[in-house]
Amino acid sequence: MRFLLRRLIHAVFLLFGVSILTFLFTSLAPGDYFGEMRLNPHIAPETVSALRAQYQLNRPLPVRYWRWVKSVVHGDLGFSFSYNSPVGPLIWVRARNTLLLTVTATLLTWGLALPLGSGAQNASDVSRTP
């Protein structure tokens, strides 16, 4: 029981660290959707500033991180400006296809590896007999 508790605590710290790194890498990457909007001469800089304020992208990183964690915990993965729709259904379509490919590849691999591996083991046992 103590082992499982220790592993659970390690998993929580690992998840926390990975979430911080993920957020930092995506937040600090050069360029964003609104940065590209600034390049369009038909869009006023005030409009871009208002959108950044609306989506709270002008707030400090720790505040944005806490808001991001709360939304992810509640299942709100955000809004895609490119597709003009919530992110959750967009991810689910791609995740479903990825899971289908992963499960199929894993079953195929195990289906080939187990017979080949046990056949090789049997062949080595036969060759060792005096």
Side-chain angles (χ1 to χ4, degrees):
M1 186 66 172
R2 189 175 195 183
F3 173 76
L4 290 176
L5 181 64
R6 195 172 65 215
R7 296 295 279 181
L8 181 64
I9 291 171
H10 285 265
V12 168
F13 280 121
L14 181 66
L15 185 62
F16 178 69
V18 167
S19 73
I20 286 176
L21 288 176
T22 300
F23 182 79
L24 283 176
F25 287 153
T26 56
S27 295
L28 299 177
D32 62 356
Y33 188 79
F34 297 121
E36 290 181 22
M37 286 179 70
R38 263 186 260 144
L39 300 176
N40 188 341
H42 301 295
I43 300 174
E46 296 81 22
T47 304
V48 175
S49 297
L51 285 170
R52 290 185 72 79
Q54 178 184 351
Y55 292 103
Q56 299 181 5
L57 295 175
N58 55 354
R59 307 206 59 181
L61 273 176
V63 173
R64 289 180 15 215
Y65 172 74
W66 180 247
R67 185 173 170 262
W68 178 72
V69 167
K70 283 189 344 186
S71 66
V72 168
V73 166
H74 288 106
D76 177 19
L77 300 177
F79 188 80
S80 171
F81 300 113
S82 299
Y83 291 98
N84 198 25
S85 68
V87 172
L90 295 173
I91 290 176
W92 175 242
V93 169
R94 288 153 179 84
R96 187 178 51 210
N97 292 337
T98 300
L99 287 173
L100 176 67
L101 287 171
T102 303
V103 168
T104 304
T106 302
L107 291 176
L108 182 65
T109 302
W110 279 83
L112 290 172
L114 288 175
L116 289 174
S118 58
Q121 180 64 33
N122 291 339
S124 67
D125 288 344
V126 169
S127 64
R128 286 189 208 171
T129 55

